[in-house]
Amino acid sequence: MRLFGRGNSGGLMNVIRCDEQEYMVWKWRPEGQDVNSTSRENSIRYGSSLRVKDGEVAVFVYKAQNGQMQDFIEGPFDDTIKTANFPVLASIVGMAFGGESPFQAEVYFINLQGNNQLRFSVPYFDVFDPRLPDHGVPMAVRGTITFNITDYRGFIKLNRLVNFDHEQFMTQIRSALQKYIKGVVMNVPLEMGLPVVQMERQILSINERVEGYLKPRIENDFGVNMKGFDISALEIDKESPYYEELRQLTAGNTARTMNAQTDVSIQNMQDTQRINAENMEGILRVQREEAQRAQRLQTETNFMGAHSLDQQTEVLKTGAQSLGQMGTMDAGGQGGGMNPAGMMTGMMMGGAMGQQMAGLMSTMGQNMQGCMNTPPPMPNVQYHVSMNGAQAGPFNMQQLAQMAQGGQLTPQTYVWKQGMANWEFAGNVPEFANLFAPPAPGSMPPPPPSTV
């Protein structure tokens, strides 16, 4: 604080300003005046200079004819105090003397830009786990809170400016923090379903929960703006016997849960393997039965003609024997003499039978030749197809060709058949080459001729 100039009555004029580096609320006093020393502590001369920096506000508290008054000068402001540029001072009692005598007013500077950071520590208090509601585990909470003053009118309504004590104000906030934080943290295990021994792992979630509860209450109680809140530590008294009991209970439940989950996973894997094995066994059985059936049909076809020839040969053999007997029988049907008529009849029947035998042999030969020239049935090749992450099939080559034409089967589709070690892209399987080959020139009909 410095003095300069002289007033109309010969007194020294003041420069009213705040030179403090860090402060929340600071009371201005004339040079050389201590707290509660004389009435001159609040004396302001007409013509004194007032300087208010940007980011602070000067509060004038004085007595007027209608009671105590407050006026606010927000920075930046730098000028002399006179009724022309400071009209509100015209109502001050001291001005009735034309400025010859100093008027009485208390001047306070409030910092609107500075951040106030307060470290807090909530001593050990019992936190109860829902599983053991009678076993309190001691816990301490430590951290910091950051606040500033934005609504200075609201701040003045809640706090005395006269003899404002910064440390006392911080002590009041610290006491409120302890009460509110303790009330929130004690209910965290029940409301969040969180075991006490795992609260340290959820410090961020708990911090958000406490901050949401604190902000409106700190601002309403003290008139400050809470800018930040940070819990740096949730400290459990691990020497407490109840802590060890809870830790074993939680660890046991965790181990049992992990074992149960492992058992379920193993059972699901075994069931999946069993189902896949059963499906594969059924597929192989059907393929084997189809192959055996095709082989039986081929065998029956090959030997059908031979069986028919055997039957007809037996018939002709019997007829030949009868013809031979006809030549040795007499006219009365008794043997012992030559029977010319029987011989002629036998010769005629024998010729017919010979022709029939020749025809049978020729037909048999043709049938056998046809069987020999008939190719064996195509192998029943079947593939499984991976569609949208799921296994489908099996499908034969005809079905796969239709799927390729419809776009369901592409060269990038995974396929598998019995004997393959792993799934493979269809485009890498030689059997699928014809399915994805572009049509040969001339294989597609040209556009129909125009009728115009």
Side-chain angles (χ1 to χ4, degrees):
M1 185 68 60
R2 65 184 178 85
L3 305 177
F4 67 95
R6 292 183 178 272
N8 296 334
S9 61
L12 296 177
M13 292 186 294
N14 300 117
V15 178
I16 304 173
R17 66 182 184 185
C18 176
D19 292 329
E20 298 293 321
Q21 295 297 321
E22 296 182 3
Y23 71 99
M24 280 184 60
V25 178
W26 181 78
K27 185 180 185 302
W28 173 83
R29 295 179 177 86
E31 184 73 18
Q33 298 297 317
D34 296 329
V35 178
N36 298 326
S37 58
T38 65
S39 60
R40 295 180 58 189
E41 176 187 349
N42 301 320
S43 297
I44 301 176
R45 291 184 178 277
Y46 182 77
S48 295
S49 175
L50 173 65
R51 296 177 183 176
V52 185
K53 298 188 294 294
D54 188 18
E56 64 183 12
V57 60
V59 183
F60 286 76
V61 182
Y62 55 91
K63 290 182 180 181
Q65 294 178 349
N66 57 349
Q68 191 177 52
M69 300 290 291
Q70 293 177 350
D71 289 303
F72 307 90
I73 307 298
E74 295 186 17
F77 181 90
D78 188 357
D79 208 340
T80 57
I81 298 177
K82 52 189 177 183
T83 56
N85 57 21
F86 203 179
V88 71
L89 296 183
S91 62
I92 298 179
V93 177
M95 294 298 293
F97 299 94
E100 296 298 331
S101 299
F103 57 85
Q104 299 292 317
E106 298 175 4
V107 184
Y108 298 91
F109 286 85
I110 299 178
N111 189 352
L112 302 180
Q113 287 188 339
N115 293 327
N116 299 274
Q117 189 173 74
L118 174 65
R119 296 183 180 274
F120 65 83
S121 176
V122 184
Y124 282 116
F125 59 94
D126 286 342
V127 180
F128 296 89
D129 194 292
R131 298 169 297 176
L132 297 176
D134 296 329
H135 292 53
V137 178
M139 176 176 290
V141 184
R142 294 180 176 83
T144 57
I145 182 174
T146 304
F147 61 90
N148 63 356
I149 300 174
T150 55
D151 180 10
Y152 53 84
R153 296 176 185 267
F155 177 81
I156 293 173
K157 290 180 181 180
L158 295 173
N159 302 278
R160 285 176 51 86
L161 294 180
V162 179
N163 298 330
F164 179 85
D165 187 296
H166 183 267
E167 292 301 325
Q168 184 179 2
F169 181 76
M170 291 295 193
T171 300
Q172 293 174 356
I173 294 182
R174 187 179 289 109
S175 298
L177 288 175
Q178 291 180 352
K179 177 180 66 175
Y180 292 140
I181 293 173
K182 180 178 179 181
V184 175
V185 174
M186 284 181 63
N187 293 310
V188 163
L190 180 61
E191 295 178 356
M192 296 182 62
L194 188 65
V196 172
V197 296
Q198 294 182 356
M199 289 179 62
E200 291 176 291
R201 300 179 183 177
Q202 299 296 327
I203 188 171
L204 295 180
S205 298
I206 296 174
N207 190 96
E208 293 180 358
R209 193 179 190 90
V210 177
E211 183 177 9
Y213 184 86
L214 277 179
K215 184 175 177 62
R217 289 166 174 78
I218 294 296
E219 293 180 351
N220 292 334
D221 292 350
F222 299 97
V224 297
N225 173 46
M226 195 178 91
K227 298 182 64 177
F229 177 79
D230 178 53
I231 295 178
S232 59
L234 288 171
E235 298 182 1
I236 299 177
D237 182 7
K238 297 182 179 180
E239 300 299 326
S240 169
Y242 292 153
Y243 168 79
E244 183 62 26
E245 186 174 348
L246 277 175
R247 192 189 68 81
Q248 293 179 358
L249 176 63
T250 302
N253 288 339
T254 302
R256 285 191 292 271
T257 300
M258 293 178 62
N259 290 335
Q261 292 175 345
T262 301
D263 293 340
V264 170
S265 299
I266 293 175
Q267 185 63 44
N268 290 339
M269 182 180 64
Q270 292 176 345
D271 292 342
T272 302
Q273 292 176 344
R274 176 179 55 79
I275 293 173
N276 291 338
E278 291 175 355
N279 292 338
M280 182 58 64
E281 182 181 358
I283 293 170
L284 295 177
R285 183 179 67 253
V286 171
Q287 292 179 348
R288 184 169 58 253
E289 291 175 353
E290 290 294 330
Q292 291 174 352
R293 180 174 177 273
Q295 186 176 5
R296 286 197 303 271
L297 290 176
Q298 182 66 37
T299 302
E300 291 174 0
T301 300
N302 292 338
F303 291 96
M304 183 67 70
H307 176 70
S308 177
L309 181 61
D310 289 341
Q311 297 298 321
Q312 294 182 16
T313 301
E314 289 296 328
V315 173
L316 292 175
K317 182 179 179 180
T318 302
Q321 292 177 351
S322 298
L323 289 174
Q325 293 177 358
M326 291 177 62
T328 58
M329 294 177 61
D330 57 18
Q334 301 293 326
M338 181 64 67
N339 186 355
M343 292 180 64
M344 292 296 295
T345 302
M347 291 175 65
M348 293 174 63
M349 293 180 63
M353 293 177 61
Q355 293 178 359
Q356 185 176 1
M357 179 66 73
L360 288 174
M361 294 297 295
S362 176
T363 301
M364 183 61 185
Q366 293 176 0
N367 290 339
M368 293 182 66
Q369 182 67 30
C371 293
M372 293 176 63
N373 294 333
T374 300
M378 294 181 63
N380 187 18
V381 179
Q382 292 183 327
Y383 280 86
H384 292 267
V385 179
S386 176
M387 294 184 174
N388 299 323
Q391 176 180 317
F395 303 104
N396 56 35
M397 295 304 295
Q398 182 178 0
Q399 293 172 321
L400 294 171
Q402 295 175 353
M403 293 169 63
Q405 293 177 358
Q408 294 92 355
L409 180 67
T410 68
Q412 286 73 38
T413 303
Y414 279 105
V415 297
W416 179 89
K417 72 173 182 178
Q418 183 183 1
M420 294 176 60
N422 297 302
W423 290 80
E424 184 60 80
F425 284 122
N428 298 336
V429 179
E431 292 178 272
F432 289 80
N434 294 332
L435 300 184
F436 307 118
S443 61
M444 299 297 292
S450 176
T451 59
V452 180

